[in-house]
Amino acid sequence: MIIEKIANELNASAAQITAAVKLLDEGATVPFIARYRKEVTQGLDDTQLRTLEQRLVYLRDLEDRRKVIIKSIDEQGKLDESLKTKLLSADNKTALEDLYLPFKPKRRTKGQIAIEAGLEPLADTLFNDPSADPEALAQTFINEEKGITDSKAALDGAKFILMERFAENAELLAAIRSYLNKHAHVKSKVLAGKEKEGEKYSDYFEYSESYSKVPSHRALAIFRGRNEGILQVNIDADPQQEDSVKHSHCEDIICRSLGLNLHSTSRDKWLQGVVQWAWKIKILLHMETELFGKLREQAEEEAIKVFAKNLNDLLMAAPAGPKVTMGLDPGLRTGVKVAIVDETGKVLHTTTIFPHQPQNQFDKSARTLATLCKQHKVQLISIGNGTGSRETDKLVSEVLKAIPELGVQKIVISEAGASVYSASELASKELPGMDVSLRGAVSIARRLQDPLAELVKIEPKAIGVGQYQHDVSQSLLGKSLDLVIEDCVNAVGVDLNTASIALLSHVSGLNKTLAQNIVNYRDQNGAFNDRKALKKVERLGPKAFEQAAGFLRVMNGSNPLDASAVHPEAYQVVDTIVAKSGHAVNDMIGNTDLLKQLSPDDFITDEFGRPTVVDILKELDKPGRDPRPEFKTASFKEGVETVADLKVGMILEGVISNVANFGAFVDIGVHQDGLVHISSISNTFIKDPREVVKTGDVVKVKVMEVDTQRKRISLTMRLDDEPTANQANASKQKPQTKQQAHKKAPNKPASNQKSFGNAAMGNAFADAFAKAKK
């Protein structure tokens, strides 16, 4: 059942899914299956395999829960064939739990107490007999011994019985749920007296939006406002009605679901009251909890997906490569920390200079940097983008003018997470005895050489490319980001002789213990000469070797294939190719003309099919090819160093620092990222900013609006756009207060606007931006 369901969802065959599930259950990783088991899965790619893996966990949990529920109901003696069929056909956890509601062990309720008092026949009669007189019938159920002292008590008991029945009717709940999903609105308003304290939530002081259309960033903002005691949030089931109308359409749904046709008889009026109470007291509260839970879950999933995509783009950013690099961790009062690393990332020199206030040792610092560049033959200078970065960038510009013969290139990069790494246990092991402040400069240098190799050492959540990352499930976020790192590391491959423990631990089949053992073996025995030597590493067994070997590279080793992505298990295929072609392996590697003459079909065996042979020929053509793009840098405009230097209409070059659902943030070199709203990214309509840009892209933007007081910058990538008069004036005048902005557009959701200067968008985007930068 699970296999068939996943096969339908992925548009794959049951045989493909069965094979993939078997491999996963045997401990194979997704990168390994996608790369080296194409014949077994008939070509399922890594995206399909990740989806399969997630759905497999969900559906297995669903089956386990189904067994528990069926057993529980059966033990109560209430499991008939009809109910069992419904339970077996429930295809999601919500439907399954709805069916279990009437049988779920619970605390003693008012309805149960009424049944124990003998009032169930009264409830049944009033529900089934339209001619019944509630008051007269209730008189016959008065029983002081059981606490039924009058007709009102009897009718209340009957009401509680029916309310609980209605609230536990799976078909009725499904009908209301369907209606609410399509028509309900999420409403929020500020709690009395919280206006000033919750000013940043002013967009939601009087807010209403269709439940089905609330985007993730607004949902998370609303829930945060509620958690902080600023907002009251609820589900409006009847947004088309005036607040004064007491009747809800959901009451009509209840009546239709139960087959009730109520008119004006005394029984009908009484039952109408029961329906109303069941809706307001039982079902609405249940549905509100469920719908908000679902909305939060979806919002968290989307926010995690945004973070994962941004992290992937950051990790897969172009490496500058193995060049001698100087890393500068800017600072003002505390000085600029300097670290120089060689082509492999080994630290050659560290120091601290004080070019800025209050010491103002500009000339001395410039001479120091120039001397170090000459002494160590520095090729790249990596400048962190923190406090003092533009001042430090200016210093480096003066230094490079004095040493043009060296051809040194300077780049300002994100230093997010460098301080976290500096104080980590890993940093203390890698750089023992080095001052914590200088470790950050080392990290800044190394992350320019190879972003992936360095950033894997940092807790992903500290890198700062998320959206509302602190509001989502930290366990789900952590798991998702770990999978991103795993995919990136294995897509690029890892140099076995230079990789850190952090990098090795993300290789397919390895963990921190095995990574540590590999490094220990390397330290004790010297560099690995071939992949086979991995088998000598403590606790690295055949399974781990099978999973990891293809992703580990041995450069300049005894076997040239060890520097490629060809798996050792397939070296025999290369031997066959060599024998049939009459050329040695070294002569074949990189020989495109020769390889084009070879037909993959000539080398297919029972064990290795056409996909593997095709991959091998590609690897021989370009062994160990790096899937990351070519290294490019942005050039920040001279003289534009702070928000105050920006002018409306300026065209600048910048780097995409973060991408959210509503737009992209761009670092233009003024210590405050600007926002390009989704509507200003392209001349054509796009649903997702990632259709056009990704983190790390170098882009050109035009300044549309500047709020110097709040340090907010509105940009456009449509360079033909012209700022409106209001935008130009807003850049010169004192900005509106949030309350003034709110009065102008109290109910418009943020994403409908085109720049943060438009009232409703400003605060929501600024709030999302602030969280994204933490």
Side-chain angles (χ1 to χ4, degrees), residues 222-257:
I222 292 167
F223 289 135
R224 188 194 301 163
R226 181 179 67 173
N227 292 341
E228 292 179 8
I230 305 299
L231 302 175
Q232 176 184 316
V233 185
N234 64 281
I235 289 290
D236 183 357
D238 304 283
Q240 72 282 359
Q241 291 182 180
E242 295 293 331
D243 292 340
S244 58
V245 178
K246 303 296 183 183
H247 183 80
S248 171
H249 180 68
C250 290
E251 295 169 29
D252 298 333
I253 295 175
I254 295 172
C255 290
R256 283 200 302 271
S257 296

Side-chain angles (χ1 to χ4, degrees), residues 34 141 181 207 237 249 322 537 657 682:
F141 284 86
N181 275 318
Y207 162 85
H249 180 68
V537 173
S657 60
S682 171

Side-chain angles (χ1 to χ4, degrees), residues 59 266 345 358 446 480 486 552 574 590 651 659 678 713:
L59 292 174
S266 58
R446 287 175 174 172
S480 176
E486 180 184 45
L552 296 169
V574 180
I651 295 179
V659 182
I678 186 172
I713 308 159

Side-chain angles (χ1 to χ4, degrees), residues 368-536:
T368 299
L369 294 183
T371 300
L372 290 172
C373 285
K374 292 177 182 177
Q375 180 182 345
H376 296 285
K377 296 182 174 57
V378 170
Q379 297 166 280
L380 294 172
I381 297 179
S382 178
I383 307 168
N385 67 344
T387 302
S389 68
R390 287 315 298 270
E391 294 86 346
T392 304
D393 184 46
K394 186 175 181 180
L395 168 69
V396 173
S397 295
E398 294 300 316
V399 171
L400 298 187
K401 288 177 185 177
I403 51 172
E405 69 278 5
L406 295 184
V408 181
Q409 188 177 10
K410 68 178 175 69
I411 300 99
V412 177
I413 68 166
S414 169
E415 63 176 40
S419 59
V420 175
Y421 164 75
S422 301
S424 69
E425 182 180 354
L426 178 61
S428 65
K429 289 181 179 179
E430 284 191 330
L431 304 168
M434 183 180 292
D435 186 87
V436 171
S437 62
L438 292 170
R439 292 174 186 167
V442 175
S443 178
I444 289 169
R446 287 175 174 172
R447 70 173 61 185
L448 181 60
Q449 293 178 319
D450 190 337
L452 176 61
E454 192 62 23
L455 290 174
V456 294
K457 301 174 184 177
I458 302 168
E459 173 69 29
K461 289 177 282 189
I463 297 175
V465 289
Q467 174 190 343
Y468 289 91
Q469 65 196 58
H470 302 289
D471 294 328
V472 304
S473 165
Q474 297 302 293
S475 61
L476 290 178
L477 176 62
K479 183 177 180 181
S480 176
L481 299 184
D482 284 344
L483 293 179
V484 170
I485 295 172
E486 180 184 45
D487 286 342
C488 291
V489 168
N490 291 288
V492 173
V494 171
D495 188 328
L496 184 56
N497 286 317
T498 62
S500 66
I501 294 171
L503 190 59
L504 286 167
S505 67
H506 292 288
V507 171
S508 170
L510 302 184
N511 53 35
K512 288 182 179 179
T513 300
L514 289 176
Q516 179 68 65
N517 291 348
I518 289 172
V519 172
N520 291 344
Y521 181 91
R522 198 169 68 196
D523 291 341
Q524 294 166 10
N525 300 280
F528 286 88
N529 194 43
D530 55 35
R531 283 169 168 165
K532 288 187 295 185
L534 273 169
K535 296 179 179 180
K536 299 177 182 178

